[in-house]
Amino acid sequence: MNVNSDTDEFRCGYIAIVGRPNVGKSTLMNALIGAKVSITSRKAQTTRHRITGIQTKEQAQYIYVDTPGFQTRHSNPLNRTLNRTVTNTLMASDVILFIIEAGTFGPADQQVVDLLPKNVPCILVINKSDRVKDKAILMPFAQKVMALFPFAAVVPVSATLKFQLDSLEQETKKYLPLNPPVFGEDDITDRSEKFLATEIVREKLFRFVGDELPYTSTVLIEKFEQEGNLRRIFVAILVDRDGHKSMVIGNKGARLKEISTQSRQDMEKLFGGPVYLEIWIKVKSGWADNEAGLRAYGYE
């Protein structure tokens, strides 16, 4: 691909992806950039950091910023930190993609609408539109939501089926400023391999332990070494109580083995080389109870 970075024609900007938890923000970003850089899970609130995904085309560079789902249920230090990440990202973006689920708009969606700045172009993205059996209801539903905010455009999509993503890209490009590219044309994220390894393990943790494990668990890379093409990665999963430790380990260690195997396979695919991975579990009570503790574990 030849990138035309002539600033008279080339467009480049930051695009915030926002919405309530579990509407498919991370899945959408991964589909748009064509690589898995943001974790996905059926469990809400798996994204806890700003994740940047980069897609470079001939005349535009799209810098997508996946954000945590805006939290309304509990006002603890972790959720306040996550919500601050969302509001800061909105203010610093050139374009906003507000994601909702087709046919569903509730108070949690409205609370995100109330945060949207009126001076930044915002596109309404109706995800999971493939799941709506009666397509005739989509237009009235879209019109009802469009009446709540001066959206620049509306695009129904399916992130999992990659339906209408080209249309979304073209619509987004209209609002990107004329700028040269910020990143190299082969870059897909500004996050380090160490950070991405952490996120992969956290995704598997939530996927396999699911509703049993409270949100007060996190993942810490204790050592990340590279020898030639081989990466040696040593990971600690922090849990709040001893009882949570046995949940993660599972019967005869089966669950931890599954988390480790799938994490290693995902890392090898993303990093393009062999990975030696060791995971162990540590009990660290109260790590998420104060903002100083959150900062120590990498929360902004």
Side-chain angles (χ1 to χ4, degrees):
M1 175 181 63
N2 292 319
V3 174
N4 175 8
S5 58
D6 183 340
T7 50
D8 290 343
E9 297 180 35
F10 199 85
R11 293 181 178 272
C12 173
Y14 286 83
I15 304 141
I17 301 177
V18 297
R20 65 169 167 81
N22 240 10
V23 287
K25 297 182 295 296
S26 299
T27 304
L28 178 65
M29 188 176 82
N30 291 338
L32 285 164
I33 68 167
K36 187 172 181 177
V37 297
S38 191
I39 68 173
T40 60
S41 166
R42 286 190 304 276
K43 189 175 173 92
Q45 209 214 53
T46 44
T47 300
R48 288 186 178 171
H49 302 271
R50 268 189 293 242
I51 314 288
T52 302
I54 303 151
Q55 167 76 305
T56 306
K57 295 292 181 78
E58 194 175 326
Q59 290 188 308
Q61 185 172 83
Y62 303 80
I63 307 168
Y64 294 103
V65 186
D66 185 16
T67 60
F70 193 77
Q71 305 301 315
T72 58
R73 288 175 62 194
H74 307 291
S75 182
N76 57 26
L78 177 57
N79 282 354
R80 284 199 299 274
T81 301
L82 298 182
N83 288 349
R84 194 162 56 240
T85 298
V86 177
T87 50
N88 290 346
T89 302
L90 287 173
M91 300 311 292
S93 300
D94 298 298
V95 185
I96 296 166
L97 304 183
F98 171 54
I99 319 297
I100 60 171
E101 206 170 315
T104 304
F105 189 93
D109 299 289
Q110 181 62 53
Q111 283 181 294
V112 183
V113 170
D114 293 341
L115 292 174
L116 298 174
K118 296 220 171 33
N119 60 338
V120 180
C122 184
I123 297 170
L124 174 64
V125 181
I126 303 176
N127 193 24
K128 307 181 186 181
S129 56
D130 55 304
R131 296 186 189 177
V132 177
K133 291 195 173 92
D134 182 6
K135 303 298 182 203
I137 70 166
L138 263 181
M139 185 56 78
F141 170 73
Q143 287 172 336
K144 197 177 285 186
V145 180
M146 290 282 282
L148 300 172
F149 184 85
F151 291 102
V154 56
V155 185
V157 303
S158 167
T160 49
L161 299 181
K162 298 181 169 58
F163 169 69
Q164 289 240 113
L165 297 191
D166 285 350
S167 300
L168 178 57
E169 216 169 67
Q170 285 306 311
E171 204 59 54
T172 304
K173 184 182 172 185
K174 292 179 190 175
Y175 301 100
L176 292 179
L178 292 166
N179 278 324
V182 174
F183 296 98
E185 61 183 89
D186 295 326
D187 291 342
I188 57 167
T189 183
D190 66 341
R191 289 294 196 172
S192 67
E193 288 190 357
K194 184 177 174 181
F195 175 86
L196 294 171
T198 307
E199 290 290 281
I200 286 169
V201 175
R202 208 158 57 75
E203 175 189 56
K204 304 309 173 197
L205 175 66
F206 282 139
R207 190 160 282 183
F208 287 104
V209 187
D211 294 332
E212 296 173 56
L213 192 69
Y215 286 116
T216 47
S217 58
T218 198
V219 175
L220 202 60
I221 301 285
E222 302 227 316
K223 201 188 287 184
F224 190 111
E225 302 170 334
Q226 192 162 349
E227 301 166 11
N229 202 29
L230 171 69
R231 291 159 178 84
R232 293 182 184 276
I233 305 171
F234 300 84
V235 177
I237 293 174
L238 302 186
V239 294
D240 212 35
R241 298 183 194 141
D242 282 317
H244 301 158
K245 190 173 179 177
S246 55
M247 287 178 197
V248 179
I249 293 169
N251 186 27
K252 297 180 180 174
R255 190 176 268 166
L256 183 58
K257 186 179 178 185
E258 194 66 38
I259 290 168
S260 300
T261 301
Q262 292 214 12
S263 295
R264 179 180 52 76
Q265 289 169 348
D266 269 17
M267 288 177 199
E268 289 181 337
K269 191 174 173 186
L270 187 60
F271 302 152
V275 169
Y276 171 82
L277 178 65
E278 263 189 43
I279 301 178
W280 56 90
I281 298 139
K282 293 182 175 181
V283 178
K284 183 90 175 173
S285 297
W287 72 270
D289 289 344
N290 62 75
E291 298 202 4
L294 291 167
R295 282 194 297 275
Y297 292 110
Y299 291 88
E300 296 162 352

